[in-house]
Amino acid sequence: MSWAQALFRPHHVAVYGSMGEGKIGRVLIDQLLAGGFPDVIAVNPKGAADEGVRAVSSLAELPAGGPPVDLVVVASPAATVANVLEDAGQAGVKAAIIVTAGFAEAGDSEAERKLLRIASQFDLRLVGPNCAGIVNTKHNLFPTLETRPPSGDVAFVSQSGALGGAVLSWAEEQGIGFSKFVSYGNGVDLTDIDFLDALREDEETRVAALYLETVSDGRRFMDAARRLAAAKPLIVIKSGRSESGSRATVSHTGSMAGADAVFDAALRQCGAIRVDGIEAMFDLCRGFTSLPPVRGPRLAIVTNSGGPGVLAADAAERCALDVRPPSGALRRRLEDRLPPFCAFDNPFDLTVQGGEDDYRDVLIDVLDEYDAALAINVNVPYLDSAPLARGIVDAARATGKPIAASFMAGRPAEAALPVLRVGGVPNFATGERAVRVLAWMCERERVVERLRRSPGWMAADESSSAQLSWDRTPLEPEAMDWLEDLAFPILEHRWVRSAEEAVEAARSFGRPVAMKVVSPSIVHKSDVGGVITGVAGAEEAAAAFDRLHVIGGSDFAGVLVSPMIGDAVEVLVGVSHDPQFGPVVACGLGGIYTEALDDLALRVAPIDADEALSMIDELRGAAILRGLRGARRDAHALAELIARVSDLPGRFPEIAELDLNPVFLLKSGCAIADVRLVRRDPATEEQERTPT
Amino acid sequence: MSWAQALFRPHHVAVYGSMGEGKIGRVLIDQLLAGGFPDVIAVNPKGAADEGVRAVSSLAELPAGGPPVDLVVVASPAATVANVLEDAGQAGVKAAIIVTAGFAEAGDSEAERKLLRIASQFDLRLVGPNCAGIVNTKHNLFPTLETRPPSGDVAFVSQSGALGGAVLSWAEEQGIGFSKFVSYGNGVDLTDIDFLDALREDEETRVAALYLETVSDGRRFMDAARRLAAAKPLIVIKSGRSESGSRATVSHTGSMAGADAVFDAALRQCGAIRVDGIEAMFDLCRGFTSLPPVRGPRLAIVTNSGGPGVLAADAAERCALDVRPPSGALRRRLEDRLPPFCAFDNPFDLTVQGGEDDYRDVLIDVLDEYDAALAINVNVPYLDSAPLARGIVDAARATGKPIAASFMAGRPAEAALPVLRVGGVPNFATGERAVRVLAWMCERERVVERLRRSPGWMAADESSSAQLSWDRTPLEPEAMDWLEDLAFPILEHRWVRSAEEAVEAARSFGRPVAMKVVSPSIVHKSDVGGVITGVAGAEEAAAAFDRLHVIGGSDFAGVLVSPMIGDAVEVLVGVSHDPQFGPVVACGLGGIYTEALDDLALRVAPIDADEALSMIDELRGAAILRGLRGARRDAHALAELIARVSDLPGRFPEIAELDLNPVFLLKSGCAIADVRLVRRDPATEEQERTPT
């Protein structure tokens, strides 16, 4: 029996804890019984229990050969939990839910590690400690202190017990049913990753939702999340956005890639849908569990009032749905059917005279050439809304295509709601919320296709890992030579140590040059005047060298001379190291733009060129990198470069940060004009590997 | 008696229309009576009515000297409405609500104009036709077909009757009460502007909300909206965002300033709060009607569960609230009071053990140094939520500061809701929605201060209007000279007609130059290779001239030569003409950035330099214009320039579009390097003045 079976489909359940009135042990047993679980055993020193509940002081007292206890729920005091696990382990129990608090969250991590040591002796898997329990509605299993939710197709895994409880309490009002619920508390053993794997295989779960504060292991989380997302929608609420930007690192790229931005990129790479809060999660769950797939972005809005129709159309365009007008043929068909005062441009406005037949027939007609529809009913008090709902339900059945409803509002629309519910048409408080769901569902189809094509990132090939040839941070020209040896496109340049050499280098290029100071102690060269551009002629070159010499000070290590590039866009490409996800690759507009516009695309590395192209397109400045107003830009060469750079930290594990800034993006190809490489500091590395 | 008094506080009301079962006239009378209006008169050809209702076939039949009929409601067939207005006008009625449809919305604008002509003879003001009526809960007045809403402090004016009706139906569930409601339908007489003025003076209205599709007159709307917003919060839902960008004009600036973007800017200048939909409107109304002002951005989040607290904190940072940690002194005070496992960093986590006293005392303590608080309760089923609500209500009373609540969720929290309601603490479904309201309320305080300081835009001084000296669109150098005469900062330049002059000009500047073709038929010079930069030396200058000569073709009118500017940021400043709001001023990053980043700040012109500075700060690229990483930029000089440019269309009414692109923003001052001026085409102007 797997841990998942023991946890979610146990034969027998035992509860360790006091059976006194109002005690948690007793509440848990009451919940289990009230939820319909047939056989619960109470375990406590006194062997006490209510009538009808078997009670023992140790599982060892149970007669041999009886049906096994697969799952125990632990609510006894913290100091007793270790003994409880021994007792359960010896009895062959395979899963334990530890509700008891007072472990790592109260500063006692050692006690928690002890539990894990005991459990692993017996192959006993742990949920918790300090958790709110689990639910499997499909097995009438409610070992939790929280509200028993309605049964349904959504599984919800929550790192926060209280938030999980709120979700369960709210579910009925929101029209959501759950297959499974898990609160894993401190997660000493089973965590996010284990439950993602379990939910992927769970045939009773059609949609998985996750509330996260941290992940136990970034890369393994991504693997598990991607596998799940390839099989069913994965909705994630991740709190802690406001912590972003709190990390400080040496390099430019690193300092801009906040922890939350990396998390965001990782979730996108896995195909998970990140939402901002519980309301959006509920909306999405209702869409995914009740609607067929949204195969494309073309949305028809059928309404009986112009205003709400236009508001929904506005919202649809904001989330990239396509509210195009109908074809001529469809328009003529609708004009034949409907009175002339209706609007046929999408939104299709049936006016207040639109009835059951109108909603049904028009929806069926428009879904011939649209991928999804939103049916809005602004209910006037003197009209019966139920027939309109029937028309919509009929259209959904007849077409097999996704139709969301927004029946507004309050009491006049109430009669329609049961009709929609029974008919499987989800109703949303506003058209804006409905279209957001349809847009996410449409995006989901694209994501599934992408996940089938490529994983979004690749496992690093550790067997080929090589060493850097420096035992220190190299100077920029050294790093450039190294990349050139690796066949990266490097801008032609000369590293000079005297004014004479500078003059000679400038002359050799035959056009104005840029000159940059080289010094191990200067990171941001332009901030200290260490970059001089447009240097033309011998006199200027010599003067520029002298100025840079002064700026370089005692650490002066020469000057880098390279030709000015006229028709190019400056781009930044870099890799840095995230404590949770490891190597991360970034790109953005170079110069001051990335920072000024807060516009950086991120991926967990390494990635392929396709994924790199999607990074480029994600930037606000994408049009500039794709070539705007007749200017050709070789975005594919840039994507190729980004992919190759993303591969470097895997091949050279000593790389902590690598900034190519600027890279000149040309009409054809691109050229790296400056390189900064930071080696990993073994001390830092150690720190990162220590779990926090 | 003013029209507003007649409309909202009539002595008597007469209803024109059939009294047959289910007919609209009858429904209106039933509504009026059911709503508690004491005396209603039915007017119809048969003089028929229900028992207890006075009926006549004309108001002339009413005995002279009785209390006057101030308001009539018209539901008779469209063809009869003109006669009805004659009848009402002769009886001295001052306001008419025309519910009847079949006028401009059905293509018959002439019939509508006829109504207006008749009404103006009698000084009779019209609401409608094709409207859903009005409500004044404070006068028990419900001449409408829609749901009678609860009484309260919010006035709602809706251009869409159906949407207005939905709002009224939804109000009770949303906990919103209304003072007034107006649906003005086709708005043949009274419109948005009139009702804004009326609501400003209405002492029974504390918050005004508006649903708009179009405005009748952009400038007058802005005046009325600003006056109202200076007195009380004005919330606007404006549909039709997706129409933005549909307008095509000649110039660069104009083509980027979509109609909706101008509307958005105008609303911001007036101090109105624009929201995306009805839910946000309801949330805001609840905040403004139940909370004291939010005087600053510092928000304390007090919660009994970490997760929802962090989600709310994330949302707060997204909308620019300040979720800072407490001072050392406050922290120590809280540590003395609370158990050690609580969190004191903001969010303040009382844990599930937080009780009535904890909520009260901690809220009182933190509001010593925060401007507002959000109190979150994630309710576990075995805890009573009502005491927590009492603690929060007590803190709100004790501090007089704004506290919003989010009690989650469903049944376990139900006991608390009446306590919060009676205590005047608004409860929001999620913490995210609550903080959005607090953020808007905080913004509102800043807006009020700004409105007191400056109107945001200025009325053009029409008396000083001057004529341009060309009867055609001037060439760029001509427009530059004209601006130079007006003392605008123009980059030094020479307009040359031969290669020899070009060489001489290039030599005279003593550094590399930029050369641009001048031709009346070339608008986007860089798109056709008409701009050559970095030209150095006689040979290059001559060659560049020849190339530009070829590009200029038969319309070639010379070449503009100006020195290359090294250390500058390119900016675009322009004015264009919006059909609804007239002259509009725009600024953005120059070159390809404004277009590529879709980053343009707009204002209805003219504006002062303060307002221009706020435009600069609104841009995504603001940091670049403010000077980034040690680069000094004279943003104040740019603001001054924008303000002066915004003044030009008022002084020179012939200006249709004026683009300064690029303007070089320097360390000190700025310099206009190119100017394109488009004169107004009288034909276009005519078209714009015709109401659509």
Side-chain angles (χ1 to χ4, degrees):
Chain A
M1 185 178 230
S2 72
W3 66 262
Q5 272 181 299
L7 183 64
F8 291 119
R9 298 198 155 271
H11 293 93
H12 283 287
V13 177
V15 176
Y16 287 85
S18 164
M19 294 301 287
E21 187 64 39
K23 294 290 184 181
I24 295 185
R26 174 132 182 197
V27 175
L28 284 165
I29 286 192
D30 289 348
Q31 271 275 54
L32 280 160
L33 295 173
F37 196 82
D39 198 354
V40 183
I41 299 156
V43 196
N44 55 68
K46 297 175 197 154
D50 272 7
E51 206 179 321
V53 175
R54 241 191 313 172
V56 293
S57 64
S58 159
L59 286 187
E61 294 169 21
L62 291 176
V69 172
D70 311 305
L71 172 66
V72 297
V73 188
V74 186
S76 61
T80 70
V81 175
N83 290 338
V84 160
L85 294 188
E86 290 262 8
D87 189 60
Q90 267 154 3
V93 171
K94 291 291 156 234
I97 300 166
I98 306 171
V99 173
T100 307
F103 293 88
E105 89 284 1
D108 197 351
S109 297
E110 177 44 38
E112 208 167 277
R113 281 195 289 274
K114 184 176 168 197
L115 300 187
L116 190 56
R117 278 195 303 272
I118 294 168
S120 56
Q121 286 168 24
F122 297 105
D123 200 17
L124 167 62
R125 303 303 300 268
L126 306 181
V127 179
N130 185 32
C131 77
I134 70 144
V135 164
N136 180 6
T137 58
K138 310 293 185 182
H139 198 59
N140 295 328
L141 182 71
F142 297 92
T144 177
L145 303 172
E146 306 296 343
T147 308
R148 290 196 304 279
S151 178
D153 301 329
V154 177
F156 183 54
V157 176
S158 179
Q159 195 167 359
S160 156
L163 187 130
V167 166
L168 297 186
S169 299
W170 210 1
E172 188 163 0
E173 191 181 320
Q174 291 276 336
I176 292 293
F178 288 96
S179 54
K180 308 272 180 302
F181 164 72
V182 175
S183 151
Y184 58 87
N186 298 359
V188 66
D189 178 14
L190 294 169
T191 62
D192 47 346
I193 295 162
D194 304 291
F195 294 113
L196 286 174
D197 284 337
L199 294 181
R200 185 185 78 243
E201 291 174 359
D202 180 22
E203 288 176 8
E204 289 158 356
T205 293
R206 285 177 52 209
V207 175
L210 200 53
Y211 170 78
L212 280 179
E213 288 164 1
T214 53
V215 291
S216 47
D217 179 319
R219 294 271 167 163
R220 283 185 55 224
F221 171 82
M222 286 180 75
D223 273 330
R226 193 195 66 80
R227 283 197 305 267
L228 191 151
K232 51 190 92 173
L234 171 60
I235 302 162
V236 178
I237 307 177
K238 161 72 172 65
S239 68
R241 280 191 201 264
S242 42
E243 291 165 302
S244 69
S246 60
R247 217 153 38 94
T249 62
V250 171
S251 85
H252 195 60
T253 313
S255 69
M256 286 189 297
D260 188 76
V262 174
F263 214 113
D264 210 66
L267 286 175
R268 228 168 317 126
Q269 277 174 278
C270 303
I273 302 171
R274 183 176 185 177
V275 295
D276 278 342
I278 299 175
E279 255 182 339
M281 183 192 92
F282 276 126
D283 280 354
L284 260 181
C285 287
R286 290 202 301 128
F288 277 118
T289 53
S290 55
L291 290 177
V294 177
R295 303 272 184 213
R298 292 166 305 183
L299 174 72
I301 298 174
V302 179
T303 180
N304 59 358
S305 166
V310 179
L311 285 176
D314 288 349
E317 297 216 341
R318 278 197 298 276
C319 46
L321 290 176
D322 178 359
V323 195
R324 64 174 67 181
S327 68
L330 173 55
R331 197 193 166 89
R332 281 187 295 277
R333 239 190 306 163
L334 295 174
E335 280 171 350
D336 286 348
R337 185 189 301 285
L338 294 168
F341 47 81
C342 292
F344 306 102
D345 287 329
N346 196 15
F348 303 94
D349 186 353
L350 308 177
T351 79
V352 73
Q353 297 185 28
E356 174 173 355
D357 294 350
D358 298 317
Y359 271 96
R360 184 188 57 233
D361 297 349
V362 170
L363 282 166
I364 291 175
D365 274 354
V366 299
L367 282 171
D368 246 15
E369 63 184 45
Y370 290 89
D371 301 302
L374 165 64
I376 296 174
N377 166 35
V378 177
N379 218 85
V380 282
Y382 46 88
L383 282 184
D384 182 3
S385 60
L388 311 188
R390 277 197 299 273
I392 294 164
V393 167
D394 286 348
R397 285 199 183 127
T399 60
K401 284 200 172 181
I403 304 180
S406 178
F407 272 48
M408 303 164 76
R411 253 180 257 139
E414 267 169 20
L417 303 187
V419 179
L420 293 172
R421 196 158 43 240
V422 171
V425 171
N427 183 52
F428 297 90
T430 65
E432 297 90 288
R433 279 169 69 171
V435 299
R436 196 174 52 166
V437 168
L438 293 172
W440 266 319
M441 291 184 67
C442 175
E443 175 64 20
R444 162 82 191 149
E445 294 304 300
R446 280 195 287 254
V447 162
V448 169
E449 208 176 289
R450 175 174 67 72
L451 291 179
R452 278 191 197 128
R453 228 170 42 231
S454 123
W457 82 101
M458 298 170 287
D461 180 0
E462 297 195 3
S463 64
S464 73
S465 80
Q467 281 200 317
L468 298 173
S469 49
W470 317 278
D471 53 4
R472 54 169 173 81
T473 286
L475 295 170
E476 290 86 338
E478 293 173 329
M480 287 170 83
D481 288 346
W482 168 69
L483 281 183
E484 197 154 27
D485 287 347
L486 293 170
F488 277 83
I490 303 288
L491 180 65
E492 45 179 344
H493 62 279
R494 296 265 300 273
W495 185 10
V496 301
R497 322 292 170 112
S498 68
E500 293 70 35
E501 281 179 30
V503 169
E504 164 51 28
R507 181 179 302 129
S508 76
F509 290 123
R511 47 185 161 143
V513 295
M515 293 173 62
K516 300 178 193 177
V517 70
V518 178
S519 160
S521 56
I522 298 176
V523 176
H524 296 301
K525 291 189 277 283
S526 34
D527 286 2
V528 296
V531 179
I532 302 175
T533 57
V535 179
E539 207 172 307
E540 280 186 34
F545 183 90
D546 290 344
R547 223 152 82 215
L548 294 174
H549 198 167
V550 172
I551 286 167
S554 60
D555 273 347
F556 179 72
V559 167
L560 197 63
V561 184
S562 51
M564 292 292 287
I565 300 294
D567 186 21
V569 174
E570 290 189 27
V571 181
L572 169 161
V573 176
V575 288
S576 62
H577 195 87
D578 181 81
Q580 272 184 312
F581 292 96
V584 169
V585 61
C587 81
L589 289 179
I592 50 177
Y593 289 98
T594 296
E595 190 177 335
L597 304 171
D598 189 20
D599 188 21
L600 196 71
L602 291 173
R603 292 292 186 275
V604 174
I607 58 170
D608 60 21
D610 261 5
E611 190 72 24
L613 212 51
S614 79
M615 287 175 79
I616 293 171
D617 288 336
E618 202 175 287
L619 290 170
R620 285 198 186 119
I624 295 171
L625 304 186
R626 284 291 198 167
L628 188 70
R629 310 186 104 211
R632 280 204 303 128
R633 298 291 164 216
D634 195 344
H636 285 88
L638 177 61
E640 191 61 42
L641 174 67
I642 294 168
R644 289 190 59 208
V645 168
S646 80
D647 202 35
L648 290 174
R651 287 171 64 194
F652 299 90
E654 290 163 290
I655 295 177
E657 315 240 349
L658 179 65
D659 273 358
L660 318 187
N661 185 17
V663 173
F664 290 117
L665 176 56
L666 309 168
K667 284 195 174 113
S668 169
C670 51
I672 300 165
D674 205 347
V675 177
R676 184 167 168 78
L677 189 155
V678 180
R679 289 184 73 246
R680 287 180 90 154
D681 176 349
T684 313
E685 200 173 350
E686 195 50 44
Q687 202 185 335
E688 281 174 8
R689 284 192 178 158
T690 309
T692 50
Chain B
M1 184 178 231
S2 72
W3 67 261
Q5 273 181 299
L7 183 64
F8 291 119
R9 298 197 156 273
H11 294 94
H12 283 287
V13 177
V15 176
Y16 288 85
S18 164
M19 294 301 287
E21 186 65 37
K23 293 288 182 180
I24 295 183
R26 172 128 183 198
V27 175
L28 284 166
I29 287 195
D30 289 348
Q31 272 275 55
L32 280 160
L33 295 173
F37 196 80
D39 199 355
V40 183
I41 298 156
V43 196
N44 55 68
K46 298 177 198 151
D50 273 6
E51 207 179 321
V53 176
R54 240 192 315 173
V56 293
S57 65
S58 159
L59 287 187
E61 295 169 18
L62 291 175
V69 172
D70 311 305
L71 172 67
V72 297
V73 188
V74 185
S76 62
T80 69
V81 175
N83 290 337
V84 160
L85 294 187
E86 291 263 9
D87 188 60
Q90 265 151 5
V93 171
K94 290 292 157 232
I97 299 166
I98 306 172
V99 174
T100 306
F103 291 88
E105 89 286 358
D108 197 350
S109 298
E110 177 44 38
E112 209 168 274
R113 282 194 290 275
K114 186 178 168 197
L115 301 187
L116 191 57
R117 279 196 302 271
I118 293 167
S120 55
Q121 286 169 22
F122 299 103
D123 200 18
L124 167 63
R125 303 302 301 267
L126 306 180
V127 180
N130 184 32
C131 77
I134 69 143
V135 164
N136 180 5
T137 58
K138 309 293 183 180
H139 199 60
N140 294 330
L141 181 71
F142 298 93
T144 177
L145 302 172
E146 307 296 343
T147 307
R148 291 197 303 279
S151 179
D153 301 329
V154 177
F156 183 54
V157 177
S158 179
Q159 195 167 2
S160 156
L163 187 129
V167 165
L168 296 186
S169 299
W170 210 1
E172 188 164 0
E173 190 181 320
Q174 292 277 337
I176 292 292
F178 288 96
S179 55
K180 308 273 180 299
F181 165 73
V182 175
S183 150
Y184 59 85
N186 299 358
V188 67
D189 178 12
L190 294 169
T191 63
D192 46 346
I193 295 162
D194 305 289
F195 294 112
L196 286 173
D197 285 337
L199 293 181
R200 186 186 76 243
E201 291 173 1
D202 180 22
E203 288 176 7
E204 290 158 354
T205 292
R206 286 178 51 209
V207 176
L210 199 54
Y211 170 79
L212 279 179
E213 287 164 2
T214 53
V215 292
S216 47
D217 179 321
R219 294 271 166 164
R220 286 186 52 224
F221 171 81
M222 285 180 75
D223 273 329
R226 195 194 63 78
R227 283 196 305 268
L228 191 151
K232 50 191 93 173
L234 171 60
I235 301 162
V236 178
I237 307 177
K238 161 74 172 65
S239 68
R241 279 191 200 264
S242 43
E243 289 165 305
S244 69
S246 61
R247 218 155 35 96
T249 62
V250 170
S251 87
H252 196 57
T253 315
S255 69
M256 286 190 297
D260 188 77
V262 174
F263 214 112
D264 209 69
L267 286 175
R268 226 167 319 125
Q269 276 173 278
C270 302
I273 301 171
R274 182 175 186 179
V275 295
D276 278 342
I278 299 174
E279 256 181 339
M281 183 192 92
F282 276 127
D283 280 353
L284 261 180
C285 287
R286 291 203 299 128
F288 277 118
T289 54
S290 54
L291 291 177
V294 177
R295 302 271 184 214
R298 290 165 305 181
L299 174 72
I301 298 173
V302 179
T303 180
N304 59 359
S305 166
V310 178
L311 285 176
D314 288 348
E317 298 217 340
R318 277 197 299 276
C319 44
L321 290 176
D322 179 359
V323 194
R324 63 175 65 181
S327 68
L330 174 55
R331 198 195 165 88
R332 280 187 296 278
R333 236 188 312 160
L334 295 174
E335 281 171 350
D336 285 349
R337 185 189 299 286
L338 294 167
F341 48 79
C342 291
F344 306 103
D345 288 330
N346 196 15
F348 302 94
D349 187 352
L350 308 177
T351 79
V352 72
Q353 296 184 29
E356 174 174 354
D357 294 350
D358 298 317
Y359 271 96
R360 185 188 57 236
D361 297 349
V362 170
L363 282 166
I364 291 174
D365 275 354
V366 298
L367 282 171
D368 246 16
E369 63 184 46
Y370 290 88
D371 301 301
L374 165 64
I376 296 174
N377 166 34
V378 177
N379 217 85
V380 283
Y382 46 88
L383 283 185
D384 182 4
S385 60
L388 311 188
R390 278 198 298 275
I392 294 164
V393 167
D394 286 349
R397 287 200 183 126
T399 60
K401 285 202 171 181
I403 305 180
S406 179
F407 272 49
M408 306 164 74
R411 253 180 256 139
E414 267 169 21
L417 303 186
V419 178
L420 293 172
R421 196 159 43 240
V422 171
V425 171
N427 183 53
F428 297 89
T430 64
E432 297 89 288
R433 279 168 69 171
V435 299
R436 196 175 50 166
V437 168
L438 294 172
W440 266 319
M441 291 184 67
C442 174
E443 175 65 19
R444 162 81 191 150
E445 295 304 300
R446 280 195 287 253
V447 162
V448 169
E449 208 176 290
R450 175 173 68 72
L451 291 179
R452 276 189 201 133
R453 229 173 38 233
S454 124
W457 82 101
M458 299 170 287
D461 180 1
E462 296 194 3
S463 64
S464 72
S465 81
Q467 280 200 318
L468 298 173
S469 50
W470 316 280
D471 54 2
R472 54 167 174 80
T473 285
L475 295 169
E476 290 87 338
E478 294 173 329
M480 287 170 82
D481 288 346
W482 168 69
L483 282 183
E484 197 153 27
D485 287 347
L486 293 170
F488 278 82
I490 303 287
L491 181 65
E492 46 178 342
H493 62 278
R494 297 265 300 274
W495 185 11
V496 301
R497 320 293 169 115
S498 68
E500 293 69 35
E501 282 179 29
V503 168
E504 164 51 27
R507 182 177 303 127
S508 74
F509 290 123
R511 47 186 162 143
V513 295
M515 295 173 62
K516 300 179 193 177
V517 69
V518 179
S519 161
S521 56
I522 298 177
V523 177
H524 296 300
K525 292 189 275 285
S526 33
D527 286 3
V528 296
V531 179
I532 303 175
T533 57
V535 179
E539 205 173 308
E540 279 186 35
F545 184 91
D546 291 343
R547 225 154 81 213
L548 295 174
H549 198 166
V550 172
I551 287 167
S554 59
D555 274 346
F556 179 73
V559 166
L560 197 64
V561 184
S562 52
M564 293 293 286
I565 299 292
D567 187 21
V569 174
E570 290 189 26
V571 182
L572 168 161
V573 177
V575 288
S576 62
H577 195 87
D578 182 80
Q580 272 183 313
F581 292 95
V584 168
V585 60
C587 81
L589 289 179
I592 51 178
Y593 289 98
T594 295
E595 189 177 337
L597 305 171
D598 189 19
D599 189 20
L600 195 71
L602 292 173
R603 292 291 187 274
V604 174
I607 57 171
D608 60 20
D610 261 6
E611 190 72 24
L613 212 51
S614 79
M615 287 174 81
I616 293 171
D617 288 336
E618 200 176 287
L619 291 170
R620 284 196 185 120
I624 295 170
L625 304 185
R626 284 291 198 166
L628 188 70
R629 310 186 106 215
R632 281 203 302 128
R633 298 291 164 216
D634 195 344
H636 285 89
L638 178 61
E640 191 60 44
L641 175 67
I642 294 168
R644 292 191 57 207
V645 169
S646 81
D647 203 33
L648 290 173
R651 289 171 63 193
F652 300 90
E654 290 163 290
I655 295 177
E657 315 239 347
L658 179 65
D659 274 356
L660 318 187
N661 185 17
V663 174
F664 290 117
L665 176 57
L666 309 168
K667 281 191 177 119
S668 171
C670 50
I672 300 165
D674 205 345
V675 177
R676 184 168 168 76
L677 189 154
V678 180
R679 289 183 74 247
R680 285 179 92 155
D681 176 349
T684 313
E685 201 174 348
E686 196 48 46
Q687 202 184 335
E688 280 173 11
R689 284 192 178 157
T690 309
T692 49

